[in-house]
Amino acid sequence: MSNSNLTIFNKISRLPVLILYICCLPFLAVSQKNLWDENPIFSEKIIDSLEVKLGGGGAEKDRIIILNKLAEAYWLVDPDYTIKYASEALQLSRKYDDISSEGFALINLCQGYLFNDLYDKALDYGLRSLEIREKLGNPFDIAFTNRTLGWLFYDIKNFDKALEYHQKVFEIHEEMDDTERCAYSYNSIGLIHLQKKNFLTALSFFKRSLVLKEPFNNQDRIAETLKNIGICYRSINKYDSAIQVLETSLDISRDIKDDYNQTEVLNELAGIYLIQDKFEDSFKALNQARLIMKDLIDNKEYLAKNNLIFSDYYRKMGGYQKALAYYQMYDSLKSQILSEDKSHKLTEMQILYEAERRELEMESLEQQQKSKDQLNKALILAVLLTLTIGALVVGRLRSNLRKNKVIYEKSKLLAQERLKNEELHSAKLQDKLEYRMKELTSLALFIAQRNEVYKGLSEGLKNLDFINREDYQIKIRRFLKEYAGKWNINEDLQKFNANIDHINDEFFYRIREEYPNLTENDLRLCAHLRLSLSSKEISQLNNISVKSVEINRYRLRKKLNLRKNETLTDFLKEF
């Protein structure tokens, strides 16, 4: 089996995030596990019981706890209900100033959006929950929230960020002297290093995890870690060690009837047997895995990997038609998985290119095999025809090479054209953004100038002195009072701020992530400065004094840690 195929195996063998959550939940939600103190099963009875309590009336404040428990119970059942109940719990917890319940509701919302693959919202709620829980100081809640954020970044393949959060989780568990949870953190860190292809580092973490897990005799977790160790051994070409560890994991999985782990281990063993040319063992393991995965609810990734190994198996055995058929089945399943996971188009293009390359390779090998058969028959018939047949074979090979070259050139031109179109699209978006920014600047100046005119008009009217015309003076002052009431209603300003929020949405996300201590007023000032508005114009726009604007600018510089020689406006425009 080629190294490129082994790399594909590594990508496919990643555990689904759902399974990771199922494995981690019993040991993460310590302060929240009152629903499942002994057995973390999200049963219908628990949900029904909670919904009965929720509908039974009682004080509104008492509903917060039930709503949060229901939201948690629905994580793996229906994330939409998690979002529904957590949203209501969040509103009530804020109404009654219940900070602890607010942190719980926020992490429930994070989980709900995470299971729905809405990563931006999940990240926002997760970070807000972490901020609250760090203030409250409960180490169990802090560890749980950090781990949730770690799996979020793992799922979107930001492995450096995932490692950062899981390292924090481990440090909390180590400080608590919690050996069991340290074992699970070691396993999590090992999975991240495995994705980063740091195989030796991953192996060391998995081994440490196994040593800590064994005294607790948690068989499913031991089997999982043994499988991970086997994958590491396979990745560094220690095949005998990999087989030994994987077979132990398989035996445990069979005893506890863990079909998911059995399927993955059998696929791994089949791949290693194929590398060692143990074709019979590989074929047997592939069929055993295929039989088990028929009963699995979510088996696409396992089936895709199984099809890919079958393709390599038949390619080695000379059955090129079957090899191509299995590869096409793998390619079809992989495309479905990419679509469901909302993967980037670039990855999809790589898979399509790999499929085309493999198809051409199969056709070429099949044609070469036919040529060899024809050559052997010709040699039997007559020695004199050998040179002629050789010339025909060479000519055919040259033809294939020319054909492959034409296909390559066309693929190259197509890729260049797609890249050019993407660049043009990006340029159009940039031009549109610049145009909108100019429009906003003009609107800001118009609002500021109009406010200045209105203020001048108001001051002028106030200074009018009506001698012996008390009735007119009363009417004028009544008009000023009415005018002042309308002064605060500024639809243009509201529209302007709404447009600012829309255009700077990506900027706000980046700067919030880098500087989480910025307030909404700070962000609004950042947006105004990115429009190159002066302090006077900003003061007129927001109906505050110039001095207030200067103070706000000074505080913003402090929060952004700018040096004296750095210009605030330039920094924000380039951020």
Side-chain angles (χ1 to χ4, degrees):
M1 185 180 298
S2 65
N3 289 332
S4 62
N5 288 338
L6 289 174
T7 301
I8 293 172
F9 285 167
N10 280 330
K11 294 179 179 178
I12 297 177
S13 63
R14 180 176 70 86
L15 280 173
V17 173
L18 179 62
I19 296 174
L20 288 172
Y21 274 108
I22 294 172
C23 294
C24 296
L25 280 171
F27 309 95
L28 293 177
V30 176
S31 65
Q32 304 169 3
K33 70 170 189 172
N34 40 14
L35 288 178
W36 317 286
D37 284 332
E38 297 180 359
N39 192 11
I41 298 175
F42 303 93
S43 69
E44 292 182 5
K45 290 183 179 179
I46 293 174
I47 292 174
D48 290 342
S49 174
L50 288 169
E51 287 183 337
V52 168
K53 288 182 181 179
L54 187 65
E60 187 179 52
K61 187 176 181 180
D62 296 336
R63 289 170 56 86
I64 302 175
I65 298 175
I66 302 173
L67 286 166
N68 267 327
K69 288 179 180 179
L70 262 174
E72 186 181 38
Y74 269 112
W75 282 359
L76 304 179
V77 179
D78 190 337
D80 290 334
Y81 277 95
T82 291
I83 295 169
K84 172 188 172 183
Y85 288 121
S87 298
E88 189 176 347
L90 181 62
Q91 291 178 356
L92 290 176
S93 61
R94 287 174 174 171
K95 178 178 179 180
Y96 291 100
D97 198 24
D98 187 343
I99 304 300
S100 178
S101 294
E102 182 179 352
F104 193 178
L106 287 168
I107 198 60
N108 276 331
L109 285 167
C110 173
Q111 297 283 9
Y113 284 115
L114 181 57
F115 280 116
N116 279 336
D117 295 334
L118 298 173
Y119 299 111
D120 52 346
K121 290 189 175 182
L123 179 60
D124 180 50
Y125 285 116
L127 291 173
R128 284 155 63 184
S129 176
L130 182 60
E131 183 179 358
I132 290 174
R133 290 181 157 186
E134 284 180 340
K135 288 180 181 177
L136 295 175
N138 186 316
F140 297 110
D141 287 344
I142 295 171
F144 176 75
T145 309
N146 273 294
R147 179 165 286 192
T148 302
L149 291 168
W151 287 129
L152 187 154
F153 282 109
Y154 182 95
D155 200 32
I156 62 177
K157 304 188 189 312
N158 188 339
F159 299 120
D160 291 333
K161 269 288 184 185
L163 185 61
E164 178 184 330
Y165 279 100
H166 280 289
Q167 187 64 41
K168 290 179 183 177
V169 176
F170 171 74
E171 290 169 2
I172 295 171
H173 291 162
E174 188 177 38
E175 188 175 346
M176 294 164 56
D177 197 24
D178 191 329
T179 304
E180 191 171 7
R181 290 186 179 83
C182 283
Y184 306 136
S185 289
Y186 277 141
N187 191 72
S188 302
I189 294 171
L191 285 170
I192 297 168
H193 281 293
L194 187 61
Q195 291 299 320
K196 289 165 69 69
K197 301 189 187 332
N198 301 329
F199 301 121
L200 292 176
T201 305
L203 182 61
S204 68
F205 278 104
F206 289 138
K207 285 183 176 180
R208 279 183 260 178
S209 176
L210 185 63
V211 170
L212 295 180
K213 283 178 180 178
E214 285 178 338
F216 298 101
N217 200 31
N218 193 327
Q219 294 299 302
D220 60 334
R221 290 181 175 276
I222 291 173
E224 181 71 25
T225 304
L226 286 169
K227 179 200 68 184
N228 294 335
I229 291 173
I231 292 173
C232 288
Y233 277 132
R234 186 259 294 158
S235 300
I236 59 176
N237 302 327
K238 291 188 176 181
Y239 302 121
D240 291 337
S241 298
I243 291 173
Q244 182 180 357
V245 175
L246 288 170
E247 286 180 343
T248 304
S249 176
L250 183 62
D251 291 339
I252 296 173
S253 298
R254 282 172 176 162
D255 290 341
I256 63 176
K257 294 181 171 43
D258 185 346
D259 291 341
Y260 282 98
N261 203 59
Q262 282 189 72
T263 301
E264 194 165 4
V265 171
L266 285 167
N267 277 336
E268 286 292 335
L269 285 170
I272 296 171
Y273 290 145
L274 193 58
I275 294 172
Q276 296 180 322
D277 291 336
K278 298 178 180 179
F279 302 116
E280 185 175 346
D281 291 338
S282 179
F283 186 78
K284 182 180 178 181
L286 286 169
N287 281 312
Q288 287 178 352
R290 213 170 185 86
L291 184 63
I292 295 171
M293 73 178 68
K294 287 180 180 179
D295 297 326
L296 301 182
I297 297 173
D298 183 12
N299 66 357
K300 287 184 180 178
E301 288 194 7
Y302 305 111
L303 186 57
K305 181 174 179 179
N306 190 273
N307 286 332
L308 183 61
I309 302 172
F310 257 125
S311 174
D312 285 315
Y313 169 82
Y314 281 111
R315 182 169 61 85
K316 278 198 168 188
M317 298 297 291
Y320 301 113
Q321 289 288 351
K322 286 188 175 181
L324 179 58
Y326 273 103
Y327 190 84
Q328 287 172 341
M329 286 190 289
Y330 155 77
D331 179 57
S332 175
L333 278 172
K334 191 61 181 173
S335 297
Q336 291 178 37
I337 295 168
L338 287 170
S339 175
E340 290 168 1
D341 291 343
K342 304 175 182 64
S343 297
H344 297 298
K345 287 294 181 183
L346 178 60
T347 306
E348 190 174 0
M349 288 172 61
Q350 289 175 341
I351 295 296
L352 291 173
Y353 172 77
E354 181 68 14
E356 292 175 0
R357 186 194 64 77
R358 179 62 71 95
E359 188 171 352
L360 290 172
E361 179 184 351
M362 293 300 176
E363 290 177 355
S364 177
L365 288 171
E366 188 174 7
Q367 289 175 357
Q368 289 179 27
Q369 186 65 42
K370 289 180 180 178
S371 299
K372 288 180 182 179
D373 292 339
Q374 291 174 358
L375 181 60
N376 290 333
K377 290 178 182 178
L379 286 172
I380 295 173
L381 292 174
V383 177
L384 296 176
L385 297 178
T386 302
L387 294 176
T388 305
I389 294 173
L392 290 173
V393 172
V394 171
R396 180 167 294 182
L397 288 174
R398 286 178 179 175
S399 175
N400 288 336
L401 288 173
R402 286 195 296 270
K403 184 188 298 183
N404 291 339
K405 185 177 180 180
V406 170
I407 292 172
Y408 170 78
E409 291 296 333
K410 288 183 177 180
S411 299
K412 184 178 178 181
L413 288 173
L414 180 59
Q416 290 174 347
E417 187 66 25
R418 287 177 179 172
L419 182 60
K420 183 178 178 181
N421 290 337
E422 289 175 358
E423 290 174 350
L424 288 173
H425 181 63
S426 177
K428 287 180 180 179
L429 289 177
Q430 184 63 32
D431 290 341
K432 184 177 179 180
L433 179 61
E434 291 175 1
Y435 175 76
R436 291 296 300 277
M437 292 291 281
K438 288 178 181 178
E439 278 189 331
L440 283 175
T441 303
S442 299
L443 180 56
L445 293 174
F446 167 75
I447 293 170
Q449 290 170 1
R450 193 185 69 177
N451 287 348
E452 189 68 22
V453 171
Y454 284 172
K455 284 184 179 180
L457 176 61
S458 179
E459 290 297 326
L461 289 173
K462 284 180 181 179
N463 293 331
L464 288 177
D465 188 14
F466 290 89
I467 301 173
N468 298 324
R469 294 184 182 181
E470 293 179 358
D471 183 58
Y472 287 120
Q473 191 170 9
I474 290 171
K475 289 181 178 178
I476 287 297
R477 292 190 183 280
R478 186 180 303 160
F479 164 75
L480 287 176
K481 183 177 181 181
E482 180 182 355
Y483 187 84
K486 295 179 179 177
W487 177 258
N488 294 324
I489 301 174
N490 195 332
E491 293 181 358
D492 289 336
L493 182 58
Q494 292 174 2
K495 189 181 299 181
F496 169 73
N497 287 331
N499 285 331
I500 275 191
D501 291 343
H502 176 70
I503 285 190
N504 289 283
D505 184 68
E506 184 178 353
F507 165 76
F508 287 158
Y509 176 83
R510 293 198 309 272
I511 200 166
R512 271 200 188 105
E513 188 175 28
E514 187 72 22
Y515 302 98
N517 61 330
L518 294 181
T519 65
E520 291 297 323
N521 287 335
D522 292 333
L523 295 175
R524 183 58 49 79
L525 179 57
C526 289
H528 289 168
L529 291 172
R530 279 167 58 84
L531 294 174
S532 300
L533 298 179
S534 66
S535 296
K536 181 179 179 181
E537 290 165 344
I538 294 173
S539 70
Q540 293 170 350
L541 190 62
N542 293 280
N543 201 22
I544 59 176
S545 67
V546 175
K547 184 177 181 181
S548 296
V549 176
E550 293 299 332
I551 291 173
N552 291 339
R553 290 181 65 151
Y554 174 78
R555 289 174 178 169
L556 181 60
R557 287 183 63 89
K558 286 289 185 182
K559 290 181 180 179
L560 297 177
N561 299 320
L562 296 184
R563 296 187 295 272
K564 289 184 178 180
N565 59 345
E566 287 184 288
T567 304
L568 178 58
T569 302
D570 293 340
F571 172 81
L572 292 172
K573 285 183 178 181
E574 294 172 2
F575 189 87

